[in-house]
Amino acid sequence: MSFCKVLPAVFVFVAFALIACSDDSSSSADAPDNGASEESVSISTTVMQDGPEMEAKNGGHIDLDIPADSFLAVFEPNDYVKLTMDGYGTVIVPVLASMDNALAGELFLLAEEGKPYVTFGMFRAPLAIITGVSRGVIKFPINVEIELEKKGEFTNVIKLYEFQHKSNSIEAYPELSAEEFANFRMVATTGMGDSVLFRASSPIDPQLGRSGIVDSLSEVAGVKVFLNMNDAAEDSVKSFEGFEDSYYAKQKVAYGKVTSSFTMREFKEPFADKLKFMAENEGPYLVHCVWGKDRTGIVVAVLAALMGATGEEIQEDYAKTYTNYFDVVDGKQVALTKEQKDLARWQIRWNMVTAYEVEGIDISDFENADLAAATEKYLLAIGLEKFEIESIKKHLK
């Protein structure tokens, strides 16, 4: 790939001078450290007012006024880029060459060779509606800035999904306890009080065959407040079999579906609301989504960091979910390799680093950063008040 070309109607900036072009498009298979690229590469463009995808099914995506081939002369598939759109804000998204690697509920930039535009979308979600573009909330012209965040990093996500085979039968996990099968555990990182914060798969959604176990374990643990990261409201869970008779139904629950794209407003705003609920209600608490993996993972990681957890502890706790679910081969779980565990550790690092970065907070040196101080800044940035943060810390001691 060469950056040494002039693109029509597109401004490209390379920080160290165009003569210092690089053809290095490699990415690490060993869960590389996060951080900014050595090269600063950016494109300025606009949203197409008559974009062909704007009114497509599910509310449509957002097409950018730049030919895909011109875009691909600067960025490559599997790069992560930082995209800032007037009226909406900044997000960090992967570049895809096709929809094959798009993840449900997550953002992407789709650059298909030969197309006269690049699509900014969200798989199985109406991004044009969410951002307000198709409703006229954001007014044209809508300027967009795209900057290289990390070259080839999305390759790690692709590798992560290659071994995510699970079973809904406990018989497939002969080495796991019932708690591990249900992905139920107390968060026991540095600074966290004893038996005050738990995490698990859903205690009410039966689709994974684990909900009954989680509900029973929650009762044994004395959980009083549930942070539900998946279901929009109580009415949306009443149809689950056994809900009315569950322990869960008798406790306090903070409902509100959040997206799994953690730099979006649609994650930050409902997440902040749940933490405000947490500040107002004493635990013990349990955080869950469906699997208790990604959305639960970052919420627990932020809370653990707030209380003083180290980067190592956060990564280990997150990776435990992978050893609780994966990899099931021919009906039996097999142990994950070191590389697979390292990819899981990379995932939570990446999620936290990028989520904090769009709020102007640098924790790229994850193992050595002052995560507690950085997390207070992050929580203030997404809408919490200082007294609410202090209340949460008091409840978690």
Side-chain angles (χ1 to χ4, degrees):
M1 179 183 72
S2 174
F3 298 135
C4 296
K5 60 179 7 177
V6 177
L7 304 181
V10 176
F11 173 72
V12 179
F13 174 68
V14 182
F16 295 148
L18 291 174
I19 59 172
C21 293
S22 170
D23 292 322
D24 182 12
S25 60
S26 64
S27 64
S28 171
D30 297 322
D33 291 335
N34 291 290
S37 170
E38 291 181 358
E39 297 171 302
S40 179
V41 182
S42 64
I43 286 178
S44 298
T45 185
T46 59
V47 174
M48 292 175 64
Q49 191 159 354
D50 59 348
E53 299 296 325
M54 191 77 74
E55 300 302 330
K57 64 180 180 178
N58 296 327
H61 300 318
I62 298 169
D63 295 318
L64 306 183
D65 197 10
I66 175 175
D69 291 348
S70 296
F71 181 88
L72 290 171
V74 181
F75 306 108
E76 294 184 337
N78 299 329
D79 287 349
Y80 269 104
V81 296
K82 183 186 298 183
L83 182 149
T84 302
M85 187 171 74
D86 280 0
Y88 182 77
T90 299
V91 292
I92 293 175
V93 303
V95 175
L96 306 181
S98 73
M99 292 295 289
D100 291 346
N101 294 320
L103 305 178
E106 297 202 20
L107 298 168
F108 60 81
L109 268 182
L110 179 63
E112 296 180 284
E113 290 185 359
K115 286 287 184 71
Y117 54 84
V118 172
T119 297
F120 177 33
M122 190 174 182
F123 190 47
R124 297 182 184 171
L127 186 63
I129 292 176
I130 288 170
T131 57
V133 171
S134 67
R135 292 178 284 118
V137 175
I138 303 177
K139 304 298 183 182
F140 288 93
I142 304 171
N143 297 313
V144 177
E145 297 286 335
I146 304 170
E147 180 183 356
L148 181 65
E149 174 69 15
K150 192 72 173 180
K151 176 152 291 300
E153 198 83 347
F154 190 70
T155 303
N156 286 322
V157 175
I158 296 171
K159 290 178 180 178
L160 269 170
Y161 277 84
E162 289 175 352
F163 62 87
Q164 290 191 22
H165 309 111
K166 65 167 182 58
S167 172
N168 292 347
S169 171
I170 196 170
E171 284 75 23
Y173 301 87
E175 303 300 320
L176 298 190
S177 65
E179 290 86 353
E180 290 170 322
F181 172 71
N183 198 31
F184 181 99
R185 60 188 179 277
M186 178 180 74
V187 179
T189 49
T190 297
M192 190 70 68
D194 183 57
S195 299
V196 293
L197 182 65
F198 297 84
R199 59 177 298 172
S201 58
S202 176
I204 49 173
D205 188 335
Q207 67 175 286
L208 299 182
R210 292 158 166 85
S211 56
I213 298 174
V214 177
D215 190 60
S216 296
L217 291 171
S218 298
E219 183 173 9
V220 171
V223 173
K224 299 301 180 188
V225 177
F226 291 88
L227 303 184
N228 185 329
M229 311 303 291
N230 185 69
D231 300 299
E234 184 175 358
D235 287 346
S236 64
V237 302
K238 286 182 176 178
S239 62
F240 289 142
E241 183 178 355
F243 175 77
E244 294 296 339
D245 297 323
S246 68
Y247 173 77
Y248 187 99
K250 302 173 182 66
Q251 309 309 312
K252 295 178 179 179
V253 182
Y255 289 100
K257 190 177 183 70
V258 302
T259 181
S260 50
S261 284
F262 304 125
T263 57
M264 289 188 73
R265 288 181 187 174
E266 288 65 33
F267 171 79
K268 292 180 283 189
E269 291 178 358
F271 177 33
D273 289 342
K274 291 176 196 298
L275 293 187
K276 290 173 182 287
F277 186 88
M278 190 177 187
E280 294 170 356
N281 296 277
E282 292 188 15
Y285 310 92
L286 184 138
V287 183
H288 75 88
C289 45
V290 178
W291 292 44
K293 182 166 70 73
D294 295 317
R295 290 172 293 178
T296 295
I298 195 166
V299 171
V300 168
V302 168
L303 291 172
L306 178 66
M307 298 304 293
T310 65
E312 176 66 21
E313 288 176 314
I314 289 168
Q315 291 172 93
E316 280 300 300
D317 180 67
Y318 182 83
K320 175 63 175 169
T321 292
Y322 279 73
T323 62
N324 285 348
Y325 276 114
F326 314 122
D327 190 12
V328 175
V329 180
D330 296 328
K332 293 293 180 183
Q333 187 185 38
V334 297
L336 298 182
T337 66
K338 181 181 183 302
E339 180 183 10
Q340 289 169 335
K341 291 178 183 177
D342 283 346
L343 284 167
R345 291 162 58 88
W346 166 84
Q347 180 74 85
I348 191 59
R349 279 204 315 274
W350 175 258
N351 288 344
M352 288 188 73
V353 168
T354 54
Y356 284 40
E357 180 184 331
V358 297
E359 309 305 324
I361 303 162
D362 181 11
I363 56 167
S364 55
D365 185 6
F366 192 70
E367 282 75 10
N368 299 308
D370 185 343
L371 295 178
T375 298
E376 289 210 25
K377 293 177 183 178
Y378 171 73
L379 295 179
L380 290 169
I382 66 171
L384 270 74
E385 301 290 341
K386 181 68 174 177
F387 76 91
E388 292 170 324
I389 297 171
E390 291 304 316
S391 178
I392 292 170
K393 290 167 68 175
K394 180 180 177 181
H395 289 166
L396 291 177
K397 286 183 179 177

